[in-house]
Amino acid sequence: YPPPPPPPIGNKTAFQMEMFQDMILYEDPKWEFPRKNLVLGKTLGEGEFGKVVKATAFRLKGKAGYTTVAVKMLKDHASHSELRDLLSEFTLLKQVNHPHVIKMYGACSQDGPMYLIVEYAKYGSLRNFLRESRKVGPSYMSGNDANRNSSYLENPDERALTMGDLISFTWQISRGMQYLAEMKLVHRDLAARNVLVAEGRKMKISDFGLSRDVYEEDSYVKRSKGRIPVKWMAIESLFDHIYTTQSDVWSFGVLLWEIVTLGGNPYPGIAPERLFNLLKTGYRMEKPENCTEEMYNLMLRCWKQESNKRPIFIDISKELEKMMVKNRDYLDLAASTPADALLYDDALSEEDTPLVDSNNAPLPRTIPSTWIENKLYGRISHAFTRF
């Protein structure tokens, strides 16, 4: 007689049941967490295929009582590809242990949907945290303790951001990325939206759904179709589908720009298909307001066309440490942050934005596309349609 059909898997939908039939999830005793000890709460964030919810876990890692955690899961209509990405993230997070990389506590892989249980980041994504900080006025001026308000004394996390804070954020992320580079892991989607802010304004690199293990290779070539974060991607990733630690360095440069502009949209008003041409001809975003020449120079070096000419994360960390010592001035958000509405408008129309060339010379606001194409010695507009 044939073996009996497998029993129903928890509350999976018919679509998920079909999806899981050829993908058996084996339990890892070291990481498996009892589903009955997990109480799901409100949704913290969601995308097209997955979501993250706040939850409480009872007796997590043998700890008495309840612990607040975050749980990552797929939506009902997620495909094999998204499940594999979640399982890939599970595999990767088993390997990593660093104060600036999100920590995994366990998983629920049996008798129900796949859940990843990770540490809870009180302030959410860095992108939203930076944007919210623009609404906070300076709580005190440098060197004048009398101006410190009670809110700051009660909760240091509520004080206004300083330039030193922003540099600290970038340094923390660089340390996390240095660790991943040493682990031979390429993130492939480094951006402010994928960095979480925990209590004490601690940066936690997150979202390894696009990560790939490169233990045996120096690069990963993407062959499958899918959504790609064009404005954060290195030239070699856009044109040749090559992903390395040095393409993560390019993305880190864009992340620096996001931090300095307090959550601005990179290349504001520039449509992705125009970006291909602009980057290939050597043009980069101009220096944001509040940005020091030192920090902007670091961004430009991260955006070098040849990946081997970009700095490596260990050197980036050392540079940022020096900047932290030098920059102790407080940042007056009300007076100094960029006022350009394009920076914070997520429904952008295609407009021109100031760019600079590789020699840091400003460009005219309007650049004829035909001139760009001539500079490229031939049309490359087809490159965007390949994705």
Side-chain angles (χ1 to χ4, degrees):
Y1 296 98
I9 307 178
N11 58 353
K12 285 190 174 65
T13 64
F15 180 87
Q16 285 180 309
M17 287 290 294
E18 182 180 349
M19 178 173 76
F20 276 79
Q21 281 178 355
D22 61 347
M23 191 176 289
I24 301 172
L25 303 183
Y26 294 101
E27 179 179 343
D28 185 335
K30 180 181 176 181
W31 294 96
E32 192 69 20
F33 185 78
R35 197 178 294 271
K36 60 183 175 59
N37 288 4
L38 195 64
V39 180
L40 302 182
K42 68 175 183 179
T43 299
L44 298 172
E46 57 186 311
E48 186 176 355
F49 301 108
K51 66 178 180 178
V52 181
V53 303
K54 188 176 181 179
T56 52
F58 179 62
R59 299 191 66 181
L60 183 68
K61 295 289 184 182
K63 180 181 176 182
Y66 291 90
T67 304
T68 301
V69 296
V71 177
K72 301 189 72 170
M73 64 186 71
L74 296 176
K75 290 185 173 180
D76 288 346
H77 62 276
S79 69
H80 277 84
S81 176
E82 281 75 46
L83 175 59
R84 288 193 183 96
D85 278 343
L86 189 64
L87 293 175
S88 170
E89 183 167 2
F90 179 38
T91 301
L92 291 173
L93 287 176
K94 289 178 184 179
Q95 305 167 31
V96 300
N97 181 21
H98 190 273
H100 298 302
V101 178
I102 202 75
K103 183 179 181 65
M104 184 176 69
Y105 293 129
C108 300
S109 65
Q110 307 298 308
D111 303 320
M114 179 70 183
Y115 292 160
L116 291 191
I117 305 168
V118 299
E119 63 182 310
Y120 172 65
K122 181 177 180 180
Y123 298 107
S125 78
L126 175 58
R127 179 176 179 270
N128 291 339
F129 177 81
L130 291 169
R131 290 190 169 192
E132 286 296 315
S133 73
R134 301 184 77 241
K135 304 173 185 176
V136 181
S139 56
Y140 61 92
M141 297 301 292
S142 176
N144 188 349
D145 289 346
N147 286 338
R148 298 189 179 194
N149 58 29
S150 59
S151 175
Y152 165 71
L153 295 174
E154 292 168 6
N155 185 3
D157 285 0
E158 290 183 3
R159 66 174 169 76
L161 289 178
T162 69
M163 184 58 76
D165 288 326
L166 300 185
I167 298 172
S168 171
F169 296 169
T170 63
W171 175 80
Q172 292 180 54
I173 297 165
S174 74
R175 292 287 292 170
M177 291 305 299
Q178 178 185 335
Y179 170 79
L180 293 180
E182 290 168 354
M183 292 285 289
K184 300 293 185 183
L185 295 174
V186 178
H187 191 287
R188 296 179 68 232
D189 196 13
L190 181 61
R193 63 183 173 273
N194 290 332
V195 175
L196 299 177
V197 185
E199 193 164 5
R201 293 178 170 178
K202 296 292 189 292
M203 301 294 112
K204 305 281 185 176
I205 298 169
S206 180
D207 202 343
F208 291 79
L210 289 177
S211 300
R212 292 296 181 271
D213 190 340
V214 289
Y215 282 111
E216 303 301 328
E217 303 177 52
D218 290 330
S219 65
Y220 173 81
V221 180
K222 183 177 184 291
R223 293 186 174 87
S224 59
K225 294 181 180 179
R227 297 174 63 187
I228 54 173
V230 171
K231 292 189 175 183
W232 284 263
M233 290 170 64
I235 285 183
E236 67 272 15
S237 306
L238 285 170
F239 286 87
D240 301 315
H241 313 293
I242 294 174
Y243 297 85
T244 66
T245 292
Q246 290 311 99
S247 61
D248 278 347
V249 168
W250 177 295
S251 302
F252 181 81
V254 181
L255 174 55
L256 289 180
W257 189 93
E258 289 185 276
I259 290 174
V260 171
T261 59
L262 298 178
N265 285 317
Y267 310 96
I270 296 291
E273 56 268 27
R274 284 200 62 216
L275 197 58
F276 281 77
N277 292 354
L278 288 169
L279 293 178
K280 198 70 173 181
T281 54
Y283 296 103
R284 306 293 185 258
M285 288 184 284
E286 69 173 8
K287 184 170 80 68
E289 297 178 44
N290 302 323
C291 184
T292 63
E293 290 292 341
E294 201 172 17
M295 180 69 82
Y296 184 56
N297 180 56
L298 177 56
M299 290 182 202
L300 289 178
R301 284 186 287 127
C302 289
W303 299 332
K304 289 284 188 183
Q305 184 155 333
E306 297 84 3
S307 62
N308 61 351
K309 292 185 179 179
R310 298 170 202 156
I312 59 176
F313 279 116
I314 188 171
D315 293 334
I316 290 173
S317 297
K318 290 176 182 176
E319 279 193 50
L320 291 169
E321 283 176 19
K322 293 177 183 176
M323 288 187 208
M324 280 195 292
V325 174
K326 293 180 184 176
N327 293 273
R328 299 188 180 278
D329 296 329
Y330 291 93
L331 177 63
D332 184 340
L333 298 181
S336 305
T337 52
D340 189 349
L342 272 176
L343 285 177
Y344 306 98
D345 183 4
D346 293 326
L348 297 174
S349 57
E350 183 177 356
E351 299 178 28
D352 291 304
T353 190
L355 300 171
V356 296
D357 64 16
S358 53
N359 296 316
N360 198 16
L363 292 172
R365 290 285 298 189
T366 303
I367 307 172
S369 58
T370 52
W371 179 84
I372 296 173
E373 287 157 3
N374 289 339
K375 283 275 289 182
L376 289 173
Y377 307 105
R379 296 180 62 86
I380 60 165
S381 57
H382 66 280
F384 184 72
T385 61
R386 289 187 301 171
F387 294 93

